Amino acid sequence: VAAVAAAAVAVRGADSTWSAVDDALRDGVVNGAYPGVVGSVVHARRGVLFQTEHGRHTYASTSPKMSASETVFDLASVSKVMATTTAIMILIDRSVLTLDARIVDVLGEAFGANGKHNITVRNCLLHNAGFRADPDPFWSTPEFACPETAKPQPRLTTSCLPKIWKSLLAQPLPHAPIGSTYVYSDLSMITLAFVIGAVAQPPVPHVRRRAELPPPDVLLHRFERFVDEHVFAPLREHGEHTPRYLPPPALYDACAPTVNDTTYRHRVVQGQVQDPNTFAMGGVSGHAGLFARLLPLTRFVGSLLRAAIGVEPFDFVAKPATVAKFTKLYNGTQSSRALGWNTNDPDAPDRGWSQACGELSPSTFMHLGYTGTMVCADPVRQVALVLLSNRVWPFANNTKVSDVRRAVATAVARAVDAGA
C-alpha cells in the first residue's frame, strides 16, 4: 500500500542520481523538441522515485508553465494501451470476450465485407488484421465528404459517425491474409472501441452474433463509459483527476495546446483531441482521444507494472496473469508487439519503434503517442517511465522528440543500475 500512496506525492530526485534524466528532459526544451514536458519514474515496490517539469505550454515566455500536477495532456496513441487494451483485459477476465472472438460475431456480418470475416480481437491487438495503417481517405478530409468536416471551423460532433461507421465496415484488407503481416493500424484499435461498446452493456453472458446493433454514437458512448467506470474509476478513490475523454471547457486552459491547425480546424487545438480522425468521430475512439495529468497516469502505470511482474499489492483493474500475458512479446518473427502494447526488443522487426525506450530491457513494454507522449515499463528493473510533452506545438513536423525519448529512457536505465 505504501507504494501506491507514494505515487500521489510530488517528488523530485533529491540527489545527482537523477540529474541525467532531468537534464535530458530539460535539454528537450532548450533544443526545441517541445515547448514543455513533465516526467516521472515509478518503482513497482518503492513508488515514485523521480518527477520533474520543464518549460511552458508554448514557446512564448508569457505562456503558462508546465505543471506535473495540473497540466493536462492529449495522450494520442497512448490511449490505445491505457484505455482500449486495458478494457479488453477486463472483458477477458470477465469471460465476456476471448482473444479469438471474431469481430463479425460482435459487430455483425456487415463487418466481414472485403475478406474481414475471420479477423479476431487478437489480430486487432497485434496489428496483423490486414488493415492499412489509416482510413483512406482520412475521415477529416474533404474527400471523405462529411458535411461537418467541410466547414472552415468544424465542430467537435458525432454527426460524421454514421458515414464513418459505413467506411469502417467497408475497409479492405490490403495486407491479407489475416494474421500474416504486421502493419501498425489505427483501424484495428478503432474497431476494438466499437467491440467494447457492443459487449460492455449487461446482460452479456457470452459473445454472440447480433442481428442488430445500436448506432455507432451509442457504441462509442458505451465504450467511453466503460473506460471511465471500469478502467480509471479506482483512481478516483485516491482523489485523483482521472484520465478521460472529452475534457470539459473549464479544463481547456489547463491543457497543453497541441497544433495550430491550418488545414482542417483552422484554429489552435487545445482541450480537444489533436488526432483528425478522432476529432471527426466526435472526440472518442479506441486509438486516440484520452487526456490525462501526470500524477494519476503515474499511479495507473505503477499499478499496471506491479500486476505484470506479480508484485503486491495487486490493485490493478485486470488480473496479474492477464496483464503478464498482454505485456510480453508475442511473435518476435513478425513484430516487436505484445497484445496491444509494443516492446523494446531489439531483435524483433520494428524494434519497439527503433528502441524508443533506449537501454531499458528488451522485455520493456511500451507505447508512444503522436503528440509527444511515452510510457516505458521495464519488468527487469521494476521501474516505469512516463513522459508527457506537446512536441507537435505548433506544427507536427517537429520530430526531435525521438532522440529525447531514447536519451531519457537510457538515463533512467543507468540511474536505476547505479542504485537509484
Side-chain angles (χ1 to χ4, degrees), residues 59-74:
Y59 292 104
S61 61
T62 55
S63 179
K65 291 183 178 181
M66 286 293 188
S67 168
S69 60
E70 297 300 327
T71 305
V72 180
F73 290 86
D74 179 343

Side-chain angles (χ1 to χ4, degrees), residues 149-200:
T149 60
K151 296 178 180 178
Q153 291 191 316
R155 296 172 298 129
L156 186 64
T157 171
T158 59
S159 64
C160 291
L161 270 178
K163 188 176 179 66
I164 287 171
W165 174 250
K166 291 179 181 178
S167 171
L168 180 65
L169 297 180
Q171 286 297 314
L173 292 185
H175 303 287
I178 295 165
S180 66
T181 305
Y182 164 69
V183 175
Y184 177 65
S185 175
D186 286 352
L187 289 163
S188 285
M189 305 307 280
I190 292 168
T191 297
L192 289 181
F194 286 111
V195 168
I196 293 163
V199 304

Side-chain angles (χ1 to χ4, degrees), residues 11-281:
V11 297
R12 185 188 295 265
D15 53 41
S16 60
T17 305
W18 295 102
S19 61
V21 179
D22 202 48
D23 289 347
L25 288 164
R26 183 178 59 249
D27 288 349
V29 176
V30 173
N31 296 326
Y34 38 65
V37 65
V38 300
S40 64
V41 178
V42 60
H43 192 278
R45 301 177 189 272
R46 294 186 284 141
V48 176
L49 303 179
F50 171 80
Q51 178 183 297
T52 195
E53 57 203 22
H54 291 289
R56 297 177 179 273
H57 281 202
T58 74
Y59 292 104
S61 61
T62 55
S63 179
K65 291 183 178 181
M66 286 293 188
S67 168
S69 60
E70 297 300 327
T71 305
V72 180
F73 290 86
D74 179 343
L75 299 185
S77 284
V78 171
S79 307
K80 291 181 170 81
V81 288
M82 296 293 106
T84 310
T85 300
T86 304
I88 294 290
M89 290 184 196
I90 294 170
L91 290 167
I92 287 176
D93 282 345
R94 297 178 182 179
S95 300
V96 174
L97 278 177
T98 69
L99 287 172
D100 293 320
R102 298 187 311 167
I103 306 302
V104 292
D105 291 334
V106 182
L107 298 185
E109 291 294 332
F111 181 85
N114 297 320
K116 300 194 297 296
H117 202 81
N118 290 320
I119 293 176
T120 65
V121 170
R122 189 191 309 268
N123 295 134
C124 291
L125 290 167
L126 291 172
H127 295 273
N128 65 11
F131 287 124
R132 55 168 63 99
D134 301 290
D136 183 18
F138 268 39
W139 296 327
S140 58
T141 60
E143 291 81 4
F144 187 64
C146 175
E148 187 64 35
T149 60
K151 296 178 180 178
Q153 291 191 316
R155 296 172 298 129
L156 186 64
T157 171
T158 59
S159 64
C160 291
L161 270 178
K163 188 176 179 66
I164 287 171
W165 174 250
K166 291 179 181 178
S167 171
L168 180 65
L169 297 180
Q171 286 297 314
L173 292 185
H175 303 287
I178 295 165
S180 66
T181 305
Y182 164 69
V183 175
Y184 177 65
S185 175
D186 286 352
L187 289 163
S188 285
M189 305 307 280
I190 292 168
T191 297
L192 289 181
F194 286 111
V195 168
I196 293 163
V199 304
Q201 295 295 97
V204 185
H206 53 79
V207 175
R208 60 188 184 277
R209 182 173 282 103
R210 293 161 179 238
E212 296 183 4
L213 279 176
D217 60 326
V218 174
L219 293 176
L220 288 184
H221 174 72
R222 289 179 176 180
F223 163 74
E224 178 196 4
R225 183 175 176 182
F226 185 86
V227 169
D228 181 63
E229 294 182 353
H230 298 279
V231 175
F232 295 124
L235 292 174
R236 281 194 284 274
E237 298 175 6
H238 302 281
E240 301 280 14
H241 296 283
T242 59
R244 62 172 298 160
Y245 289 92
L246 301 171
L251 273 183
Y252 285 2
D253 286 346
C255 294
T258 51
V259 292
N260 180 16
D261 189 345
T262 60
T263 60
Y264 174 32
R265 287 156 286 201
H266 300 97
R267 60 180 180 268
V268 169
V269 179
Q270 182 178 20
Q272 296 180 333
V273 63
Q274 178 274 331
D275 180 80
N277 287 320
T278 306
F279 188 92
M281 295 171 71

